[in-house]
Amino acid sequence: MTASPISDRLSDVEGQVEDGRSKIDWAFEHMPIVQSLRADFEADQPFDGYTIGMALHVEAKTAALVEALAAGGAEIAITGCNPLSTHDDVSAALDDHDAITSYAEHGVDEAGYYDAIEAVIAQEPDVTVDDGGDLVFRIHQEHPDLIDSIIGGSEETTTGVHRLRSMDADGALEYPVFAVNDTPMKRLFDNVHGTGEASLSSIAMTTNLSWAGKTVVVAGYGQCGRGVAKKAAGQNASVVVTEIDPRQALEAHMEGYEVLPMAEASAKGDVFITVTGNRDVITPDHVEQMQDGAILANAGHFDIEIDLEGLSEVAVGETEVRDGIREYTLEDGRRINVLAEGRLVNLASPVSLGHPVEVMDQSFGIQAVSVRELVTNGEAYGAGVHEVPDELDREVAEIKLRAEGIEIDELTDIQREYLASWEHGT
Ligand code: NAI
């Protein structure tokens, strides 16, 4: 595969490839699942002759996954899934690999973002790996001629899976895609702990402000929201939750958090973190209630959870007060601070590193076995969204337990028989 013009430019920056290389090596060293799968792939070459097209956050942990697939014989074309989350040094280091072409560049505009998606599609992938669904959607919209030759895909995040399920329900999804997000090994760790830890640390590093004593409003108490709320409470913040689902709201209440509509929470919060996968969760009407100095951050996939256009309309001034913090001044002088342009704060803030390495080891372990399942067994899956087979999720969990030196019990024959029977009662 030829080098990409984007990364030709990136590679020209002195030390870029080396910097990216050391970031990738550090991550890989702490990813026992990806290490173990990579060793298997090197031996078995399951991806020999296949091209994998990817649109993921291009940073060090992702690169460890990409290199593991390349070690298994794949040709890979990759770009970002968010204009602000790419680490250029990692992108350049990936592109330096003979079997990998990276088109990802930090800070591209919308046209540049979609040009890079198109460049990946132009490599005619056999398998797609997405985070948010842009690659699958673009292929269906602009390149339906390629669909017949695509074995399948895998999708990383909640919003991408929602989008694919909507396509599926409309009969518009024409190849199989694994919902990696929905596996226990992904959502119970990446969404909960990863988003919780990474969002809070990115906000703290971007603002240099303390959590203790603050009121933190968490919008959305799903997988990610419960992690954000738990970690904020653990840092001595008072947590307020907003929800639209009565069961999630009750769960938050029983966990001890105050639950309020956003119209009321907006007057109380010092820091607001949206993580709903929905749009217009914070609007100018809410901002109207907010205290001077309120901080708004989004950890949901797209930059539509905070209505920034609406905020710009009611603001009389806007200025970048610190790297990654945009201050909007309201008519009465109150200032509202928005982090990372309302894009997912744990990846798009200038200091962000994304989720902790151990968490992404699990998520990318599932991605790796999903891609392996597609190339070895793809004909078993029809068009549509598929659960990742449970035995693959268990395989990844077992590798992790071995790496952690944790042993667990095994079912006895009598226990197995009991669990499978219906005759035993009181
Ligand atoms: P989820 O479906 O488990 O939770 C979303 C929650 O938001 C639900 O409980 C829903 O009832 C609630 N909600 C929806 N509209 C709302 C509104 N207007 N106000 C208040 N609550 C509302 O989804 P999950 O897994 O928590 O993901 C949420 C978002 O975070 C998605 O966009 C997902 O793609 C993204 N995500 C981000 C990550 C990151 O690195 N920042 C990592 C994983 C997921």
Side-chain angles (χ1 to χ4, degrees), residues 79-100:
T79 185
C81 62
N82 181 300
L84 294 185
S85 64
T86 296
H87 290 220
D88 283 341
D89 49 4
V90 171
S91 183
L94 275 180
D95 197 59
D96 201 42
H97 189 299
D98 280 349
I100 302 168

Side-chain angles (χ1 to χ4, degrees), residues 157-159 191 195 222-224 243-244 248 277-278 299 301 346 355:
T157 197
T158 315
T159 284
N191 299 36
T195 311
Q223 298 291 342
C224 295
E243 252 298 341
I244 46 103
Q248 302 305 119
N278 206 342
H301 188 77
N346 57 317
H355 285 8

Side-chain angles (χ1 to χ4, degrees), residues 24-360:
I24 300 167
D25 289 347
W26 170 265
F28 183 64
E29 199 182 311
H30 297 86
M31 297 176 84
I33 300 169
V34 171
Q35 282 175 25
S36 167
L37 292 170
R38 178 177 167 147
D40 292 348
F41 295 163
E42 260 163 353
D44 303 340
Q45 293 294 293
F47 311 119
D48 189 26
Y50 293 106
T51 298
I52 303 173
M54 307 175 95
L56 296 173
H57 299 291
V58 177
E59 47 83 50
K61 286 93 71 182
T62 308
L65 166 70
V66 172
E67 291 186 343
L69 298 174
E75 291 275 330
I76 292 172
I78 183 166
T79 185
C81 62
N82 181 300
L84 294 185
S85 64
T86 296
H87 290 220
D88 283 341
D89 49 4
V90 171
S91 183
L94 275 180
D95 197 59
D96 201 42
H97 189 299
D98 280 349
I100 302 168
T101 308
S102 178
Y103 299 94
E105 188 177 8
H106 181 90
V108 284
D109 59 16
E110 196 172 315
Y113 176 81
Y114 282 106
D115 283 351
I117 295 260
E118 284 291 336
V120 168
I121 297 171
Q123 305 295 335
E124 304 192 357
D126 303 294
V127 172
T128 59
V129 180
D130 244 311
D131 185 330
D134 281 347
L135 197 51
V136 173
F137 186 69
R138 190 79 173 192
I139 287 170
H140 281 71
Q141 202 179 33
E142 305 286 339
H143 304 278
D145 48 306
L146 292 181
I147 287 171
D148 277 351
S149 63
I150 294 178
I151 303 167
S154 61
E155 168 54 49
E156 174 80 7
T157 197
T158 315
T159 284
V161 171
H162 279 172
R163 211 173 166 193
L164 292 166
R165 287 199 200 285
S166 302
M167 281 176 83
D168 201 4
D170 285 350
L173 181 58
E174 294 189 42
Y175 63 81
V177 183
F178 281 129
V180 165
N181 178 75
D182 295 357
T183 60
M185 279 296 282
K186 198 274 182 183
R187 74 184 144 83
L188 300 180
F189 303 89
D190 176 314
N191 299 36
V192 180
H193 295 281
T195 311
E197 283 190 32
S199 300
L200 289 204
S201 61
S202 293
I203 294 169
M205 285 191 296
T206 305
T207 60
N208 199 205
L209 298 175
S210 164
W211 292 106
K214 296 272 190 313
T215 297
V216 176
V217 177
V218 180
Y221 195 75
Q223 298 291 342
C224 295
R226 69 168 64 94
V228 172
K230 187 185 176 78
K231 309 281 173 180
Q235 296 278 1
N236 294 356
S238 304
V239 174
V240 176
V241 167
T242 74
E243 252 298 341
I244 46 103
D245 184 310
R247 294 148 307 174
Q248 302 305 119
L250 268 177
E251 190 189 334
H253 170 68
M254 295 293 272
E255 285 295 328
Y257 306 123
E258 187 172 11
V259 179
L260 291 172
M262 184 58 87
E264 287 176 45
S266 43
K268 294 188 95 163
D270 298 301
V271 182
F272 294 77
I273 307 173
T274 54
V275 65
T276 69
N278 206 342
R279 59 174 303 160
D280 301 333
V281 178
I282 294 181
T283 65
D285 285 345
H286 300 131
V287 169
E288 205 40 61
Q289 312 294 321
M290 288 181 186
Q291 305 174 42
D292 181 31
I295 291 167
L296 315 190
N298 167 50
H301 188 77
F302 286 121
D303 59 341
I304 53 174
E305 304 214 8
I306 304 167
D307 176 6
L308 288 180
E309 266 176 41
L311 182 51
S312 275
E313 278 164 23
V314 296
V316 292
E318 287 180 35
T319 172
E320 203 76 7
V321 283
R322 189 180 151 102
D323 207 12
I325 308 180
R326 191 161 188 81
E327 180 186 272
Y328 294 76
T329 308
L330 305 179
E331 211 161 7
D332 61 6
R334 274 175 304 138
R335 293 153 303 170
I336 306 295
N337 299 296
V338 176
L339 307 195
E341 301 176 16
R343 294 191 185 273
L344 72 185
V345 69
N346 57 317
L347 282 146
S349 191
V351 290
S352 295
L353 296 172
H355 285 8
V357 178
E358 298 91 329
V359 166
M360 292 319 295

